[in-house]
Amino acid sequence: MAILADRSTRLIVQGITGREGAFHTRQMLDYGTRVVAGVTPGKGGTAVEGVPVFDTVARAREATGANASIIFVPAAFAADAALEAIEAGLKLVVVITEGIPVQDMLRVVARAREKQTRLIGPNCPGLISPGEALLGILPGRVFTPGPVGIVSRSGTLTYEVVHLLGRAGLGQSTCVGVGGDPIIGTRFADVLQLFEQDPATEAVVLIGEIGGTDEEEAAAFIRRSMTKPVVSFISGRTAPPGKRMGHAGAIISGRMGTPQSKVEALTAAGVPVASSIDEIPQLVKERIGRAVAGRA
Amino acid sequence: MRLTEAQSKALFRSVGLPTPDGELATNPDEAGRIAGRLGGRVAVKVQIPIGGRGKAGGIRLADSPNQAAEHARALLGSRIRDYVVREVLVERAVPISREYYLSVTVDRARQSPVAIFSTAGGMDIEEVAEQTPERIAKQWIDIGLGLRDFHARRLFDEGGAPAALRAELGRFLSGLWGLFNRVDAQLVEINPLAETQDGHLVALDGKVEIDDNALFRHPDLAAMRSVEADHPLEREARAHNLAYVKLTGSVGVIGNGAGLVMATLDAVQREGGRPGNFLDIGGGARAEVVEKALRIVMSDPEVKAVLLNVFGGITRCDEVARGLVQALSALGGPRVPVVVRLAGTREEEGRALLAQSRVNGVESAATFQEAARRAVQLATAAG
């Protein structure tokens, strides 16, 4: 079991003929993901890595019965691509593209909500259910199947944590990168809810960072309705206010988005916050043990 | 990208919102001439994109052209926080009876544009929000519907705006909303929005922040970026599409992925050091990018040691190692010691490349923590 995507997911790659799109299509196919179609306007009728290319998402869906899409379209056209996928009725849309204007995303997120499409990203590494499916740019070989769910605003930091968990013998159910932008389709609390309902997930690692209030909202959700243990890490504790730290969303503005507020909210919700990532595997182990003992 | 007051006010005027008469001056004589033309009392205001200019001594009142020139002489060329003052706005001082606050911005938590109004204008709005939240009214605007009349009615009703001003406030709000959309703003703010003694509204100060990611749609606005705004190394990094932030410590940090780089800065601090910068080489960086990154970090004289922390996913550790070796050979060896930690895709190849290259002053570390500790040691020893 996994959340969001598994072996049955039938994926469309929007922007498949681009450099990134073609490269990651190969990677995803190699991982075993069922990439059934690609979309690039004007390139319909061709193929990339043996995957048929269509001019529109609607045609691609009609021809292949796809139910999910991943977007590698350049920032200027990415919002339009996401809206096209939503309008075509796909239920899961993952936007990898970085640098999409915020006001474009406000419109896309609002539309996704209306149409009940699960939107992940933008500016995210995608998601992976180890052994099942890879919908993104995460390096598949780092991950192993297991009981730990991961939700994160950062790609490479996720690989670091997964690497450490792997060495401690802890595999993952699903890892979701929600993205580093200020306006994103799926937030921490949404993913926590999915993990709470997923029988294969026994504990969750939440990797947050400065900026916004997603971590605080996640803490409120955990306090209210989460029974599974959550362990967290917050990066950017040394970041100066008013500076964007690489991610468009990673900025302390005024009194908002400080690491202190996030750490306090999580701690108050009973979530241990690791001061260094190498503490995470031990924290997870202790809590999985406790959760299992509690059920016995 | 944050615009200056004068740039913001030009945008306000373009949507029909009144601002006091005024002009920019780049030298004292010019400031005096503008004051003479305006007549009476004027304000001389430094044009740099920061808040709290008044408190920082950047806004002065003058009663004569001579005094305006004197103020301009004192302000031009002076340094306020990180900025050198290159121009001042000389503006007619307007007699006012009350000050309000009005803005449109993006509410991240609600994922929606929001209009904000307060009768506590002229003050730091965050302070007002904290101490007297009842004096702040908010109205979230459905991005699909756009701003409707009822939004304005509710906002000014909730905010306790005087009845006689509501129609004019409505025109200001609709002007700001139009501007917010037209220029892809993250924030359009008038504070204070002043009520003049004859009962009209005028934008006494203004702040517009444009979404950097949307600048491709606004070449005219992109050209407004105030060049003094950033550290020279930040400008150079931006020209090379590198995410770089200058900090004040002695350990230069380079990594791939914003979250990882931030966590590396935190690790440096935990080991008792201070990071000198944030630099993300991004995903899938080629050797040339690594080379540029290293040159930028090393050209900061405050940096005494460099920590290169890479977890290879799409990024290949051998490419990173190649870039490092290229940069160091081109520089004729590292100016300061470099600690490298490579993990993930092609890490063995990367390590082997470093070992073969025999460049001096480069050390490998096996783990994240070890790398941070060693870099701090080296920086401290050199400091």
Side-chain angles (χ1 to χ4, degrees):
Chain A
M1 269 295 285
I3 63 166
L4 295 165
D6 57 25
R7 278 178 229 278
S8 71
T9 303
R10 298 174 66 80
L11 184 70
I12 291 174
V13 177
Q14 289 177 256
I16 194 168
T17 51
R19 194 169 62 97
E20 296 285 311
F23 177 77
H24 291 290
T25 295
R26 181 73 261 157
Q27 303 292 309
M28 290 189 285
L29 285 168
D30 288 347
Y31 198 76
T33 308
R34 293 166 71 169
V35 182
V36 296
V39 170
T40 299
K43 299 269 175 74
T46 62
V48 171
E49 302 287 350
V51 175
V53 179
F54 297 84
D55 284 317
T56 68
V57 176
R59 285 249 179 272
R61 189 191 175 197
E62 234 169 62
T64 63
N67 55 8
S69 170
I70 186 165
I71 294 175
F72 288 97
V73 172
F77 314 104
D80 190 63
L83 289 170
E84 184 185 3
I86 294 166
E87 296 302 312
L90 297 178
K91 286 298 157 206
L92 174 67
V93 177
V94 180
V95 186
I96 303 297
T97 310
E98 181 179 353
I100 304 176
V102 163
Q103 291 198 16
D104 288 5
M105 281 321 299
L106 287 173
R107 293 190 169 80
V108 173
V109 167
R111 194 68 182 143
R113 203 175 294 137
E114 274 168 34
K115 289 278 197 171
Q116 294 178 3
T117 297
R118 167 71 64 192
L119 178 80
I120 310 275
N123 189 13
C124 81
L127 58 109
I128 183 169
S129 296
E132 299 265 337
L134 163 64
L135 276 66
I137 60 175
L138 304 114
R141 56 177 197 87
V142 178
F143 300 81
T144 50
V148 184
I150 297 183
V151 59
S152 169
R153 274 164 78 176
S154 149
T156 37
L157 202 50
T158 305
Y159 319 154
E160 285 281 356
V161 171
V162 164
H163 183 66
L164 292 168
L165 287 172
R167 286 208 307 218
L170 291 163
Q172 303 85 43
S173 53
T174 300
C175 301
V176 186
V178 294
D181 271 11
I183 302 295
I184 52 176
T186 297
R187 299 190 275 181
F188 283 142
D190 306 317
V191 180
L192 288 175
Q193 185 163 23
L194 297 173
F195 279 135
E196 174 70 12
Q197 291 156 359
D198 173 35
T201 302
E202 290 177 31
V204 180
V205 177
L206 182 155
I207 305 167
E209 64 192 30
I210 54 158
T213 53
D214 264 22
E215 291 78 2
E216 288 85 339
E217 282 157 34
F221 174 80
I222 292 166
R223 202 189 256 263
R224 213 169 46 234
S225 23
M226 189 103 187
T227 61
K228 294 179 182 176
V230 181
V231 166
S232 73
F233 177 79
I234 303 293
S235 72
R237 294 208 207 187
T238 52
K243 292 278 190 182
R244 264 172 229 285
M245 303 302 276
H247 283 162
I251 180 166
I252 300 172
S253 27
R255 292 173 179 83
M256 290 274 288
T258 64
Q260 294 81 358
S261 143
K262 294 169 193 302
V263 171
E264 277 166 26
L266 288 163
T267 309
V271 176
V273 184
S275 61
S276 147
I277 55 165
D278 29 5
E279 294 169 10
I280 293 174
Q282 188 56 33
L283 289 171
V284 172
K285 271 194 167 167
E286 285 164 13
R287 274 151 192 85
I288 284 188
R290 213 181 289 162
V292 172
R295 279 205 296 272
Chain B
M1 177 179 83
R2 203 161 145 184
L3 302 185
T4 63
E5 176 195 6
Q7 291 168 337
S8 304
K9 283 179 166 170
L11 289 176
F12 293 163
R13 286 191 296 275
S14 76
V15 292
L17 303 183
T19 64
D21 284 340
E23 267 181 73
L24 285 171
T26 53
N27 65 63
D29 292 348
E30 212 178 343
R33 273 199 302 277
I34 297 166
R37 186 181 63 73
L38 292 171
R41 188 163 231 226
V42 296
V44 181
K45 305 159 96 177
V46 299
Q47 295 303 297
I48 53 175
I50 63 160
R53 282 173 305 159
K55 281 180 201 152
I59 299 178
R60 300 185 188 187
L61 290 170
D63 287 312
S64 68
N66 274 344
Q67 203 183 2
E70 257 170 58
H71 287 333
R73 189 168 292 118
L75 293 170
L76 288 165
S78 73
R79 184 177 277 273
I80 296 181
R81 292 200 220 143
D82 289 338
Y83 298 87
V84 176
V85 178
R86 300 285 180 210
E87 48 183 21
V88 292
L89 177 63
V90 182
E91 200 174 67
R92 176 172 288 141
V94 184
I96 55 174
S97 59
R98 262 187 100 173
E99 296 184 328
Y100 305 93
Y101 174 97
L102 186 65
S103 70
V104 177
T105 186
V106 175
D107 184 335
R108 275 176 78 162
R110 298 243 194 157
Q111 302 186 311
S112 164
V114 61
I116 303 174
F117 173 75
S118 176
T119 52
M123 295 171 55
D124 174 4
I125 200 68
E126 283 169 336
E127 210 166 287
V128 178
E130 206 159 83
Q131 282 159 16
T132 48
E134 68 283 357
R135 294 193 71 183
I136 295 207
K138 290 185 177 181
Q139 182 62 51
W140 287 272
I141 300 167
D142 182 311
I143 190 116
L145 286 179
L147 176 79
R148 319 297 299 196
D149 288 348
F150 79 84
H151 286 123
R153 285 200 299 273
R154 283 171 57 168
L155 181 70
F156 298 124
D157 177 58
E158 196 191 318
L165 278 182
R166 289 194 188 181
E168 205 166 333
L169 280 169
R171 285 196 290 279
F172 267 81
L173 179 57
S174 104
L176 284 190
W177 171 254
L179 190 59
F180 177 80
N181 283 282
R182 193 186 88 205
V183 302
D184 271 293
Q186 316 248 48
L187 170 71
V188 289
E189 178 186 89
I190 304 179
N191 186 31
L193 172 58
E195 183 182 347
T196 55
Q197 280 168 359
D198 57 357
H200 289 289
L201 294 172
V202 59
L204 218 52
D205 196 357
K207 193 195 282 182
V208 173
E209 208 182 310
I210 314 275
D211 180 358
D212 287 322
N213 285 341
L215 285 176
F216 70 87
R217 290 200 275 248
H218 308 283
D220 51 327
L221 297 173
M224 283 183 172
R225 186 184 284 280
S226 90
V227 201
E228 304 304 326
D230 308 303
H231 191 276
L233 287 176
E234 291 185 359
R235 289 203 295 276
E236 193 186 334
R238 189 168 49 238
H240 290 113
N241 283 319
L242 290 169
Y244 171 90
V245 177
K246 169 84 174 87
L247 302 171
T248 52
S250 60
V251 181
V253 176
I254 303 173
N256 62 328
L260 176 63
V261 180
M262 274 190 271
T264 310
L265 303 185
D266 296 348
V268 164
Q269 178 132 316
R270 222 176 23 253
E271 294 297 334
R274 282 173 61 218
N277 69 277
F278 167 103
L279 200 163
D280 176 10
I281 56 172
R286 307 300 302 262
E288 295 69 42
V289 175
V290 178
E291 187 179 338
K292 267 174 205 131
L294 201 73
R295 280 168 176 273
I296 286 172
V297 171
M298 288 229 177
S299 59
D300 177 354
E302 288 173 68
V303 164
K304 307 291 181 208
V306 174
L307 167 51
L308 178 65
N309 189 16
V310 168
F311 195 99
I314 320 169
T315 307
R316 290 168 34 174
C317 291
D318 55 342
E319 276 288 324
V320 173
R322 193 165 297 120
L324 176 66
V325 172
Q326 272 173 25
L328 295 181
S329 333
L331 293 166
R335 178 180 70 76
V336 297
V338 181
V339 179
V340 186
R341 179 272 192 168
L342 298 173
T345 308
R346 300 179 78 98
E347 70 176 70
E348 293 79 14
E349 289 87 339
R351 289 222 193 92
L353 253 165
L354 285 183
Q356 282 157 22
S357 72
R358 284 188 226 104
V359 279
N360 293 320
V362 176
E363 292 183 23
S364 281
T367 69
F368 200 137
Q369 298 314 314
E370 193 185 309
R373 191 169 311 136
R374 187 63 187 141
V376 170
Q377 277 171 5
L378 290 167
T380 311

